[in-house]
Amino acid sequence: MSSDLPSLIGRLVKEAIDHPELYNSKNLHSLVMEGVERVLIEKALEHTGGNKRKAAQVLGINRNTLSNKIKKYQLKTEK
């Protein structure tokens, strides 16, 4: 996934408009926010070498919350 945020948002908006059936009940705001959140988590994990405790600290969230989001987005971690 690209880390270029404007490009990511543009793709999500285009997909949601062109293929609303793919997103069921998700509104555009939720779609964009999840895309941004995923990129933030990926970058925090990359920056911390996969250390969830440090990544959670950088993001300002609880480590358990981070673990749940990693599962939600099916992200791979190094540790």
Side-chain angles (χ1 to χ4, degrees):
M1 177 175 283
S2 171
S3 61
D4 178 23
L5 194 53
S7 176
L8 168 68
I9 293 170
R11 281 195 316 273
L12 290 171
V13 170
K14 182 173 181 352
E15 275 186 38
I17 291 169
D18 292 348
H19 305 285
E21 71 281 0
L22 298 176
Y23 300 100
N24 300 323
S25 64
K26 287 201 174 198
N27 62 39
L28 186 56
H29 180 266
S30 295
L31 184 65
V32 170
M33 296 311 291
E34 286 180 3
V36 170
E37 182 175 60
R38 181 187 173 110
V39 171
L40 281 172
I41 292 169
E42 287 174 332
K43 291 301 175 185
L45 288 167
E46 181 182 306
H47 177 73
T48 61
N51 185 308
K52 292 178 190 175
R53 183 186 58 78
K54 288 181 182 177
Q57 186 176 18
V58 167
L59 293 168
I61 61 176
N62 181 283
R63 187 179 173 281
N64 290 332
T65 300
L66 176 61
S67 291
N68 290 335
K69 290 179 184 292
I70 288 169
K71 288 177 192 171
K72 175 182 177 179
Y73 299 122
Q74 300 176 343
L75 300 175
K76 300 210 183 321
T77 58
E78 294 178 19
K79 287 187 177 183

